[in-house]
Amino acid sequence: MILSTDIQIPFSRSIVFATYRDRLMELIPYMTNVRSIEVKSRHQDNACIHAVNEWHGGGEIPAPVRTLLSKDMLKWTEYNTWNESDYTLVWSIKTHAFTEAVHCAGKNRFLNDHGQTLIESRGEIRIDPKRIQGVPPLLKNQVASVVEDFLSKKVEPNLLQMSEGVRQYLDQQTIKYKLA
């Protein structure tokens, strides 16, 4: 399944890019489907910052998926490469459930749009039914379809919600700066 979102944020590209990259923990309150994020590693290599973060999700789980996933299993590890020279983020996600079967990766481009920022997020989620463990062979295709549908319905809204959180966060920082 292809992931594709375009998001406009009314702040400069450098500020938006740095907020996404460096203020992740401060953005958690704006993401209702995220309980917490744990930074596993972060290091800089020239113009790139490489980060590994473990996300702990939440929210409602649909009944067909609830039999396969518990809330404790709604964890994923995100591998990021932030390239400040071209304002891109290359990411991949390793789920903690059905790890061998799930492929989720993409790229975000932060584009200057008349003093504002347009974020193009492109990615893909694929589930390989043959690699799903612990499910009877006759059900693997059906389980793969349900899990892929569930994940895609979580990832795109989370991208949009995070962007709205960045906008709100930057609005609040602007107000604080003006009041100081």
Side-chain angles (χ1 to χ4, degrees):
M1 180 165 285
I2 300 298
L3 302 171
S4 178
T5 61
D6 291 339
I7 302 153
Q8 187 84 29
I9 298 181
F11 290 90
S12 73
R13 175 170 68 168
S14 61
I15 290 172
V16 171
F17 186 81
T19 301
Y20 267 86
R21 184 190 63 202
D22 302 332
R23 301 287 180 213
L24 184 60
M25 297 307 188
E26 295 167 57
L27 298 173
I28 293 171
Y30 300 99
M31 298 180 280
T32 58
N33 288 327
V34 176
R35 290 190 329 251
S36 64
I37 301 170
E38 183 180 342
V39 177
K40 295 293 190 178
S41 69
R42 183 180 169 107
H43 69 276
Q44 188 160 354
D45 177 20
N46 297 319
C48 293
I49 291 181
H50 306 276
V52 178
N53 301 312
E54 184 175 276
W55 294 64
H56 301 261
E60 290 299 312
I61 302 171
V65 178
R66 197 175 303 126
T67 59
L68 304 170
L69 299 176
S70 70
K71 285 189 179 185
D72 290 338
M73 294 174 72
L74 287 177
K75 296 178 187 174
W76 62 95
T77 302
E78 182 180 46
Y79 301 85
N80 297 318
T81 299
W82 297 89
N83 188 335
E84 194 164 13
S85 67
D86 64 0
Y87 292 95
T88 59
L89 162 63
V90 176
W91 53 268
S92 66
I93 293 172
K94 182 178 178 181
T95 60
H96 291 211
F98 303 116
T99 303
E100 304 80 20
V102 177
H103 167 80
C104 185
K107 182 176 184 175
N108 296 2
R109 295 186 330 138
F110 293 74
L111 305 170
N112 183 21
D113 188 18
H114 301 85
Q116 298 187 26
T117 304
L118 174 64
I119 304 167
E120 291 180 348
S121 297
R122 303 293 183 265
E124 177 183 38
I125 295 176
R126 275 192 333 262
I127 311 291
D128 182 351
K130 296 175 197 149
R131 301 191 77 183
I132 296 175
Q133 302 298 316
V135 175
L138 292 174
L139 295 177
K140 286 188 177 196
N141 285 337
Q142 183 178 1
V143 168
S145 177
V146 168
V147 171
E148 186 174 287
D149 184 59
F150 172 73
L151 289 174
S152 68
K153 288 180 179 171
K154 289 289 186 186
V155 173
E156 281 189 1
N158 282 351
L159 291 171
L160 295 170
Q161 189 177 61
M162 185 167 182
S163 296
E164 178 58 21
V166 167
R167 187 198 58 76
Q168 289 177 16
Y169 174 83
L170 291 172
D171 280 343
Q172 290 175 353
Q173 297 306 306
T174 302
I175 290 169
K176 285 180 189 176
Y177 178 74
K178 286 180 182 178
L179 294 176

